[in-house]
Amino acid sequence: MFRTALRNVLAHKARLLMTVLAVMLGVAFVSGTLVFTNTLSDAYQKSSAKGFDQVDVAIQPENAQDSGDKVAKEPKLTQALLDRAAKAPGAETAIGVVGGFTAIAGKDGKLIGSGFQSQGGNYWGTKDPRYPIVSGQAPKSENEVLVDSETARRAGYKVGDTVRLSIDGPVLTPKIAGIFSTDDGNVAAGGSLTLFDTATAQRLFHKTGSYDEIDVKAASGTSQTALQDAIDKIVPKDIGSTTTGKQLADDQAQQISEATSSLRTTLLVFAGIALFVGTFIIANTFTMLVAQRTKELALLRAVGASRRQVTRSVLIEAFVVGAVAAVTGLVAGIGIGAGLRSLVGRLGGTVPDGPLVISPGTVVAALAVGILITVLAAWLPGRRAAKIPPVAAMSSVHAKATTKSLVVRNTIGTLFASAGVTAVLYATTMNDVSDAQAPMGFGAALLVIGVFVLTPLLSRPLIAAAAPVLRVFGVSGKLARQNSVRNPRRTAATASALMIGLTLITGLTVMAGSLQTAIDKMASSSIRADYVVSMANRNELSPDVEKTLKSTAGVTATSPMRNAPSRVEGQTEFLTGVDGATIGELTNLKVDDGAFKVGGTQVVVDGETAKSHHWTAGSRFTVSYEDGKKQQLTVSGVYQSTERMRGIWLDIATLSPHQSDPADMQVMVKTSGGATASAKDRLEKALGDNPAIQVQDKKDISNSIGQVFTLMLNMLYGLLAMAVIVAVLGVINTLAMSVFERSQEIGMLRAIGLDRKGIKRMVRLESLVISLFGGVLGIGLGVFFGWAAGELLGTKMATYELVLPWGRMALFLLLAAAVGVLAALWPARRAARLNMLTAIKSE
């Protein structure tokens, strides 16, 4: 039986090629994902570990703790503490660390790096061991900076060049005193690092006289734990805590691992989808192979082979096919992993140098997935074949499914589909999105399985609906319709592979379109201002920015939005300082109670905050500012909050005296001519064409928020393309084997007058009908899932509403049709080239 199984594999090489390809693609996706994420994680971990070579013990400030009605203040690491740490037993040196966002522009005026990747810090003294200088010298004044070598190389900077920088708004133009090398992970990822002398860094990052961290290097012969014990004795518990350099490296490695883990999970989910789709193809292939060999298997049974031996021979074939596909998939996956790493670099990202990581776990996972999926998919056809009595198999009386088996199948499918719909509908009624994810995911899986089981039942009426169109093609169209419904199970398995891919694509598109509409409303419904000015990384703006904008030609009104912590009724509440005189003409918030008046001690509060404190218009409350002073405020109005605007708003003139270091989150601007290109250009020029500052109108705001969803959607489309490719292979495979199975019938059709063009047309129309059937099911399910997910999102986004992308859904249906046409090219050509006499004599 073992030799028989191997001979069958070798005898049907062409028939099994598509199955090998389907499994190979899925395995390649899995192994490529593991190779890529493991390589990425390993490279960043090794790179980040180098960054802690000069740190044996780090002193970090304790988190501020609220106490009574006083606003907690962040503990400061002072110069005095640094001096004591440097003199601690076993300490060799101590360095004060200061840092934060620092935007540096290239020679083209654009921001180098993006957001948090653009960092700044301090260079300690004249020779900082953390940052070896490769050319030039250490910065000595506020007019000198150091730039990392990667940024200098990318931007074409050299020592002596003038650069444009920004910390919190105003543009700085220092000269490059030197260029240094670093193992900083942000720089390795494509960001930038700019260093100032310590005094300048403290002033720019609002840390005058203090540090973000104190790094202590141990003297020779002193361990990190011994040095930590010594420093613990001199650091007050309410000021800071100590961590060893090894622990810092381990923590960062863990963070990197967790960050890449989410990427790995996402990619593996789509690899699983591709394998899930491939499972249908494998099961379909082996079902057809077994059906074509029933007489052969019956003869084996007649000469003494047991049911177990027949089943085992089919599983051996599957094992061989799975093993070949798994090995080739693993090799292809290693290539995919290397290609993804290279692609990251071409798209502007940078991965630290390091080897391609092919772990034993990756090899085992690839082999296990490929072999197990193939063997499991082949088990049911093999078991079904073994149950057929030899006499029945030789006379082919087993060919049709019994009424009982169809009733059982339809009952099971109905139960699964009903349970799935019920679970999904139940999830849409839940308020907590995280709690609803599990029942919605479970319900979606049940519904997809239920529809798959019911697909043979659904195929007849849906394919029959295409009969009027198929009649136009005469005999070929009639035969195509009959062939499509002749074997409903085979048609169902083929259509289901395409259905799953289109379900996911349609569902994502419905959600994306609805989200974009909600974002557009969110950006425009509550803002009357023409422009919103903010930092590129959402950090705080200098108050000087608002002053500059106010004095710019064409500007009619401005208002900053300034956040400040406070204590209200024993709770921490963040106040928002605005210009009470202009905020009314810059916003468009609906007031439910009272009037929208901000000025003096009058404030406005969003509905949720008012409800939590039982406030209404006219209510009074006492606020404790961050400087410890108290004041009684009056609620003039209660407004409806939006995703961008909420909280307690008060006049900035009331808030500012209580702030030691005021900074704005954004500035709203209204111009005389509205939002125009010339007005935007004036504002940007007034701010010095600062690459760190964004001047956005309503459309820009909407696009910036929606950009994340668009990028994610495009990435998901790319990943789902794998499932569609596997589905195409399934259609080709089914048609090719169907042509082989119907060789005698095709020969008879040729003999009685149907020409080669008619044969080709018949096969192509059959493929088109099956593909459109899968497309209709997929789009229908996708719309349902998109609606359900939207109902859940609607609980968190007031502006959300369902938007059906009719144009894109029509495009997806055309895509399904194109899949059918392309998949039929080779099988149709093969059918037309059959020799009619040879085909008639075939069995």
Side-chain angles (χ1 to χ4, degrees):
M1 292 301 295
F2 181 74
R3 288 196 299 270
T4 301
L6 292 181
R7 285 173 181 170
N8 279 323
V9 172
L10 296 175
H12 305 302
K13 293 187 287 290
R15 276 187 257 171
L16 293 174
L17 176 62
M18 295 300 173
T19 302
V20 171
L21 284 174
V23 181
M24 185 198 74
L25 282 172
V27 172
F29 207 157
V30 171
S31 55
T33 294
L34 293 174
V35 168
F36 173 62
T37 53
N38 287 341
T39 299
L40 207 64
S41 178
D42 181 72
Y44 277 118
Q45 285 180 20
K46 288 180 178 178
S47 176
S48 67
K50 293 178 183 177
F52 295 103
D53 288 346
Q54 299 298 322
V55 183
D56 288 314
V57 175
I59 306 173
Q60 298 169 322
E62 281 292 320
N63 292 327
Q65 300 293 326
D66 289 336
S67 178
D69 286 334
K70 294 183 179 180
V71 178
K73 293 184 178 180
E74 192 72 30
K76 293 185 177 181
L77 304 181
T78 63
Q79 181 66 39
L81 179 60
L82 185 146
D83 293 337
R84 291 201 303 272
K87 296 176 182 178
E92 181 178 318
T93 58
I95 294 175
V97 179
V98 182
F101 172 72
T102 301
I104 176 172
K107 291 185 176 180
D108 58 358
K110 295 181 180 179
L111 177 67
I112 298 176
S114 59
F116 70 91
Q117 293 177 335
S118 302
Q119 295 293 312
N122 67 308
Y123 188 84
W124 190 257
T126 57
K127 190 174 182 180
D128 192 328
R130 300 171 299 168
Y131 307 115
I133 294 178
V134 294
S135 64
Q137 61 183 13
K140 297 177 181 178
S141 68
E142 61 183 15
N143 295 319
E144 294 182 336
V145 295
L146 293 178
V147 176
D148 72 87
S149 55
E150 279 298 307
T151 298
R153 181 185 61 80
R154 289 197 299 267
Y157 282 135
K158 60 183 183 298
V159 175
D161 286 348
T162 298
V163 293
R164 298 173 68 248
L165 304 172
S166 179
I167 306 297
D168 57 0
V171 176
L172 308 174
T173 55
K175 287 186 177 181
I176 298 178
I179 295 173
F180 65 94
S181 62
T182 178
D183 293 311
D184 185 274
N186 281 324
V187 175
S192 63
L193 180 60
T194 309
L195 301 179
F196 307 86
D197 68 272
T198 299
T200 300
Q202 287 177 317
R203 179 176 59 81
L204 292 175
F205 297 120
H206 308 287
K207 292 286 182 179
T208 302
S210 65
Y211 302 97
D212 294 321
E213 182 175 301
I214 296 174
D215 293 339
V216 186
K217 180 73 175 172
S220 178
T222 303
S223 67
Q224 290 188 351
T225 53
L227 180 59
Q228 184 182 29
D229 291 339
I231 293 177
D232 279 338
K233 296 176 182 178
I234 64 172
V235 179
K237 297 296 182 183
D238 59 338
I239 297 297
S241 59
T242 60
T243 309
T244 63
K246 182 180 183 305
Q247 185 61 49
L248 286 173
D250 291 344
D251 290 344
Q252 185 148 331
Q254 179 64 28
Q255 291 173 5
I256 292 170
S257 178
E258 291 174 358
T260 54
S261 175
S262 60
L263 174 64
R264 182 189 296 118
T265 301
T266 301
L267 292 173
L268 286 176
V269 164
F270 286 93
I273 292 170
L275 283 172
F276 185 55
V277 173
T279 301
F280 291 116
I281 299 172
I282 300 164
N284 204 19
T285 300
F286 276 94
T287 299
M288 295 176 72
L289 283 174
V290 169
Q292 291 169 12
R293 288 165 41 212
T294 48
K295 289 187 178 181
E296 174 191 327
L297 295 176
L299 183 60
L300 289 173
R301 290 287 311 283
V303 297
S306 65
R307 288 184 176 182
R308 286 186 178 180
Q309 287 178 313
V310 170
T311 303
R312 197 178 300 132
S313 70
V314 175
L315 293 181
I316 290 172
E317 287 183 51
F319 178 84
V320 173
V321 171
V324 171
V327 171
T328 54
L330 174 61
V331 174
I334 294 171
I336 289 173
L340 285 173
R341 176 174 173 169
S342 176
L343 181 63
V344 169
R346 294 194 175 191
L347 292 176
T350 305
V351 179
D353 292 334
L356 202 65
V357 178
I358 307 167
S359 67
T362 300
V363 176
V364 171
L367 295 176
V369 166
I371 294 172
L372 284 176
I373 289 291
T374 310
V375 171
L376 287 174
W379 175 74
L380 189 60
R383 185 170 175 270
R384 189 184 297 135
K387 284 185 175 182
I388 300 172
V391 175
M394 289 180 180
S395 59
S396 298
V397 297
H398 67 287
K400 293 184 180 180
T402 62
T403 303
K404 180 181 177 181
S405 68
L406 292 174
V407 169
V408 170
R409 179 181 181 124
N410 293 338
T411 302
I412 293 173
T414 302
L415 291 174
F416 269 83
S418 301
V421 171
T422 303
V424 170
L425 293 178
Y426 169 72
T428 61
T429 64
M430 302 176 71
N431 293 324
D432 194 320
V433 176
S434 58
D435 290 341
Q437 287 177 354
M440 183 166 286
F442 180 66
L446 286 178
L447 180 55
V448 169
I449 293 171
V451 171
F452 167 68
V453 175
L454 287 172
T455 305
L457 179 66
L458 298 172
S459 64
R460 288 186 178 276
L462 288 177
I463 292 176
V469 178
L470 292 175
R471 288 196 192 103
V472 175
F473 298 95
V475 175
S476 297
K478 183 178 180 180
L479 290 172
R481 184 182 65 81
Q482 291 175 345
N483 289 335
S484 300
V485 295
R486 177 188 297 180
N487 191 332
R489 288 181 175 176
R490 184 172 66 209
T491 298
T494 306
S496 295
L498 189 59
M499 176 192 77
I500 294 170
L502 286 179
T503 295
L504 293 168
I505 290 174
T506 304
L508 288 171
T509 303
V510 169
M511 285 182 61
S514 301
L515 277 172
Q516 188 59 57
T517 302
I519 290 167
D520 291 342
K521 287 185 177 181
M522 181 177 69
S524 60
S525 62
S526 60
I527 300 176
R528 284 180 180 160
D530 295 317
Y531 297 99
V532 174
V533 179
S534 61
M535 293 290 286
N537 69 331
R538 305 304 176 197
N539 268 11
E540 296 176 332
L541 280 166
S542 167
D544 294 337
V545 172
E546 197 259 343
K547 294 177 183 177
T548 302
L549 291 169
K550 183 178 287 188
S551 60
T552 302
V555 173
T556 59
T558 63
S559 174
M561 296 191 74
R562 182 177 301 174
N563 286 350
S566 70
R567 297 288 292 180
V568 177
E569 297 179 356
Q571 299 179 18
T572 298
E573 293 282 0
F574 277 87
L575 307 175
T576 301
V578 297
D579 188 328
T582 60
I583 191 64
E585 61 180 300
L586 295 169
T587 58
N588 184 30
L589 296 170
K590 186 177 179 181
V591 178
D592 293 329
D593 185 19
F596 196 89
K597 292 182 180 179
V598 179
T601 60
Q602 287 190 314
V603 302
V604 292
V605 185
D606 73 278
E608 293 179 9
T609 303
K611 183 179 180 180
S612 66
H613 289 284
H614 306 289
W615 294 337
T616 58
S619 296
R620 295 184 177 182
F621 63 93
T622 300
V623 61
S624 294
Y625 296 108
E626 57 184 308
D627 63 355
K629 294 182 180 179
K630 298 182 180 181
Q631 186 176 25
Q632 191 174 68
L633 302 176
T634 302
V635 178
S636 65
V638 178
Y639 65 91
Q640 289 184 6
S641 64
T642 67
E643 282 76 8
R644 293 176 61 86
M645 297 184 176
R646 60 183 69 244
I648 303 171
W649 289 16
L650 76 164
D651 194 86
I652 202 161
T654 305
L655 176 64
S656 294
H658 303 285
Q659 293 184 289
S660 58
D661 190 16
D664 302 327
M665 293 306 297
Q666 62 184 33
V667 179
M668 289 184 285
V669 181
K670 195 169 185 63
T671 57
S672 56
T676 62
S678 59
K680 184 175 183 179
D681 188 56
R682 280 199 309 273
L683 295 178
E684 290 177 339
K685 278 185 167 51
L687 296 171
D689 289 323
N690 193 322
I693 297 180
Q694 292 179 328
V695 179
Q696 297 177 303
D697 59 20
K698 294 175 185 178
K699 186 177 181 181
D700 293 331
I701 294 171
S702 177
N703 290 341
S704 66
I705 300 173
Q707 185 178 12
V708 178
F709 297 108
T710 304
L711 181 64
M712 187 180 299
L713 186 67
N714 290 336
M715 183 184 74
L716 295 179
Y717 279 160
L719 294 172
L720 286 172
M722 179 69 74
V724 175
I725 290 171
V726 174
V728 172
L729 291 175
V731 178
I732 296 173
N733 206 18
T734 299
L735 288 173
M737 297 185 73
S738 178
V739 166
F740 178 84
E741 189 180 85
R742 303 201 311 261
S743 295
Q744 190 177 58
E745 174 189 319
I746 292 171
M748 289 294 296
L749 290 171
R750 289 289 314 284
I752 60 176
L754 189 63
D755 59 11
R756 289 185 174 181
K757 286 185 178 180
I759 294 293
K760 284 183 179 180
R761 191 181 301 119
M762 177 188 73
V763 175
R764 288 170 183 167
L765 289 173
E766 179 184 349
S767 174
L768 183 63
V769 168
I770 293 174
S771 297
L772 286 174
F773 170 54
V776 169
L777 287 181
I779 291 171
L781 282 174
V783 169
F784 176 70
F785 290 140
W787 166 83
E791 286 293 299
L792 201 56
L793 288 173
T795 61
K796 299 296 181 183
M797 188 177 287
T799 55
Y800 185 91
E801 65 177 59
L802 180 67
V803 176
L804 293 180
W806 296 106
R808 288 208 174 188
M809 288 194 294
L811 184 64
F812 295 155
L813 203 58
L814 288 175
L815 173 65
V819 166
V821 172
L822 292 174
L825 291 177
W826 177 61
R829 185 168 177 268
R830 181 182 178 190
R833 294 179 65 183
L834 284 175
N835 182 288
M836 67 178 75
L837 295 178
T838 304
I840 290 172
K841 291 189 294 181
S842 66
E843 294 186 5

